[in-house]
Amino acid sequence: MNVRKLTILQIRSSDRAISSLARVFETDLPRYRTALPIGFTEEVDCDEDTILFLHSAFAPLEMEEVRELLPLTEEGMIPVVTIDEKGQILMQAFGNGESQRLSLETGFAHYFSRSRNQLWKKGETSGHTQKILRILAPIDRTFLVYQVVQEVAACHEGYYSCFFRERIPGGTWKRLPIPRNFLPEKN
């Protein structure tokens, strides 16, 4: 049985500042939730492989601007969190050395698709580009944050942000007030 790894972001709820990023196996998620402070909320991305846990007690990480390539994990990747100019979290993806280099050189967000095993420039086919304003990283350099100007929508489902729903206890969903800027074509 192949168990997925999820990306978990702890976010301070008052200003949506990033407190931590971790990669956990999906089977460890229930145990992870029990260690969180009472009263957290949980937002899930469109692919259900990145989860934001929000709480007022989470202290934000100190971030600094970077202009160099960061070391990769043992899988040859680095997590990338993308935020807009106001700090709203738009998406989470992965980068490799080449995607980092292209992002720095072109000023547009590039990622590495693990499922397609290829580089991709966000918006190359849709026109929904991400113009990079700043590239940030925590002091330990374990992940990147691209602060961007997002054109139209970050989510392939048409929402401005991939985090357009909250998981309610019991496994149901509550739609968040994230604009849906287009309806994707069905193939």
Side-chain angles (χ1 to χ4, degrees):
M1 180 174 151
N2 192 9
V3 179
R4 282 193 313 170
K5 257 192 158 178
L6 306 175
T7 302
I8 305 294
L9 289 157
Q10 290 187 358
I11 307 293
R12 185 168 62 185
S13 53
S14 61
D15 58 3
R16 296 185 72 89
I18 299 169
S19 177
S20 70
L21 183 146
R23 300 272 296 146
V24 302
F25 288 106
E26 193 167 22
T27 52
D28 294 330
L29 190 56
R31 186 171 46 250
Y32 188 93
R33 282 188 187 105
T34 62
L36 292 169
I38 294 172
F40 71 86
T41 57
E42 181 177 338
E43 295 179 9
V44 182
D45 76 340
C46 52
D47 296 326
E48 297 185 41
D49 60 3
T50 304
I51 301 171
L52 308 181
F53 287 109
L54 294 92
H55 195 275
S56 59
F58 294 145
L61 287 173
E62 184 179 335
M63 298 280 184
E64 54 188 26
E65 197 159 349
V66 294
R67 300 292 307 156
E68 74 274 2
L69 301 182
L70 296 191
L72 305 174
T73 66
E74 61 276 358
E75 293 96 24
M77 299 287 149
I78 188 166
V80 181
V81 178
T82 307
I83 63 174
D84 70 7
E85 56 268 47
K86 295 178 184 171
Q88 181 175 353
I89 298 173
L90 301 175
M91 58 181 274
Q92 187 273 313
F94 290 88
N96 63 7
E98 184 69 4
S99 66
Q100 287 184 71
R101 185 186 64 74
L102 287 168
S103 296
L104 283 166
E105 287 178 5
T106 68
F108 285 90
H110 287 75
Y111 305 95
F112 187 85
S113 170
R114 296 173 303 152
S115 61
R116 295 187 313 261
N117 196 34
Q118 68 184 35
L119 286 168
W120 57 285
K121 176 185 176 189
K122 180 69 174 161
E124 191 165 47
T125 56
S126 67
H128 305 168
T129 58
Q130 295 175 338
K131 173 78 174 129
I132 294 175
L133 300 172
R134 297 187 306 159
I135 300 175
L136 305 166
I139 303 302
D140 68 4
R141 303 287 207 259
T142 54
F143 65 94
L144 289 164
V145 176
Y146 291 169
Q147 186 171 36
V148 303
V149 174
Q150 175 67 59
E151 291 296 328
V152 186
C155 182
H156 69 276
E157 292 189 25
Y159 294 93
Y160 178 72
S161 167
C162 291
F163 299 95
F164 58 87
R165 59 198 172 156
E166 179 180 331
R167 190 184 327 255
I168 304 298
T172 60
W173 300 105
K174 172 185 166 189
R175 171 100 156 57
L176 297 170
I178 303 297
R180 191 169 202 183
N181 295 337
F182 74 94
L183 291 173
E185 293 181 22
K186 301 290 180 195
N187 293 340

